C-alpha cells in the first residue's frame, strides 16, 4: 500500500466506525463503510485483531453488537453474589457470560472493571496476605509455586504479584521461597 496514514488516524477511524455501527467492526464492515482499506490496518498494526485492540475494541465481539457497560458490570455483580467475593478473571472465564478480555479492553484493567462495578479489588490486599497465599500454595505443592500454579490454584492472579512486587521472582524472594526450585 502506498497510502501513508498515521496509526492514530486509523485508530480514530476504526473507533468512529464502531460507534456508527454500534458494534466491533469486521473486515467486511470496514470494506463497505470504513474510511480506509482493511489491508492498511493489517499493514500498520500487523493484523485486523491487533488493529481492533489498538483502538480499544474487543476482537471477541467482532460482528456482534457492543455489550453495554451496564450489562458487563451487572455480570460482575451477579458473580459477586454467586461467589460471595469479588470475581477473579478465572471466575469470569469459568462461570461468567463474557470474556475477561472484554473487561480489560473496555475498562483498562480487571481491577478498574471491579472498581466500576463498586466491588473490592486486589489492590486492597496486603502484601502479607499475598505472601501467605504463596506460602499456602507452596505447602500444598511441596515446592515453590510457579506463575501457572498461582494462576490455576491460587487465590490471587499472578498479575497482582507482578504489580505489587515487580516480578514473580521478587514475590517468591519476599516469601523466602526463592531458593526452592519450583518443580
Amino acid at each position: 500500500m502506498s497510502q501513508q496514514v498515521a496509526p492514530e488516524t486509523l485508530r480514530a477511524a476504526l473507533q468512529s466506525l464502531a460507534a456508527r455501527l454500534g458494534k466491533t467492526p469486521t473486515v467486511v464492515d470496514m470494506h463497505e463503510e470504513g474510511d480506509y482499506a482493511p489491508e492498511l490496518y493489517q499493514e500498520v498494526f500487523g493484523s485486523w485483531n491487533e488493529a481492533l485492540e489498538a483502538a480499544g475494541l474487543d476482537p471477541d465481539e467482532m460482528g456482534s453488537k457492543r455489550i453495554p457497560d451496564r450489562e458487563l458490570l451487572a455480570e460482575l455483580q451477579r458473580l459477586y453474589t454467586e461467589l460471595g467475593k469479588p470475581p477473579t478473571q478465572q471466575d469470569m472465564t469459568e462461570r461468567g457470560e463474557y470474556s475477561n478480555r472484554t473487561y480489560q479492553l473496555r475498562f483498562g484493567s480487571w481491577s478498574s472493571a471491579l472498581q466500576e462495578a463498586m466491588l473490592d479489588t486486589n489492590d486492597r490486599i496486603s502484601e502479607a496476605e499475598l505472601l501467605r497465599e504463596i506460602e499456602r500454595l507452596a505447602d500444598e505443592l511441596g515446592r515453590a509455586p510457579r506463575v501457572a500454579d498461582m494462576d490455576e490454584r491460587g487465590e490471587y492472579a499472578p498479575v497482582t504479584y507482578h504489580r505489587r512486587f515487580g516480578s514473580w521472582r521478587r514475590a517468591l524472594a519476599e516469601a523466602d521461597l526463592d531458593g526452592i526450585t519450583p518443580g
Side-chain angles (χ1 to χ4, degrees), residues 133-141 143 145 149-150 153-154:
E133 179 60 8
I134 286 180
E135 292 162 1
R136 181 200 66 78
L137 197 53
D139 288 344
E140 183 180 303
L141 296 168
R143 61 173 169 75
D149 297 322
M150 183 58 71
R153 300 163 73 171

Side-chain angles (χ1 to χ4, degrees), residues 1 26 47 51-52 66 120 123 156-157 162 172:
M1 294 245 149
T26 63
S47 73
L52 291 173
R66 181 180 168 97
D120 286 336
D123 296 338
Y156 309 115
H162 284 273
L172 289 176

Side-chain angles (χ1 to χ4, degrees), residues 6-18 24-27 30 36-60 62 101 105:
E8 299 78 34
T9 303
L10 292 172
R11 276 195 297 271
L14 193 48
Q15 290 166 339
S16 175
L17 179 60
T24 298
T26 63
V27 170
M30 183 56 70
Y36 302 98
E39 295 80 11
L40 182 59
Y41 285 88
Q42 292 166 336
E43 184 179 301
V44 170
F45 294 100
S47 73
W48 182 251
N49 282 356
E50 288 177 40
L52 291 173
E53 288 179 5
L57 301 169
D58 187 350
D60 292 338
M62 194 169 10
R101 186 135 179 79
L105 290 167

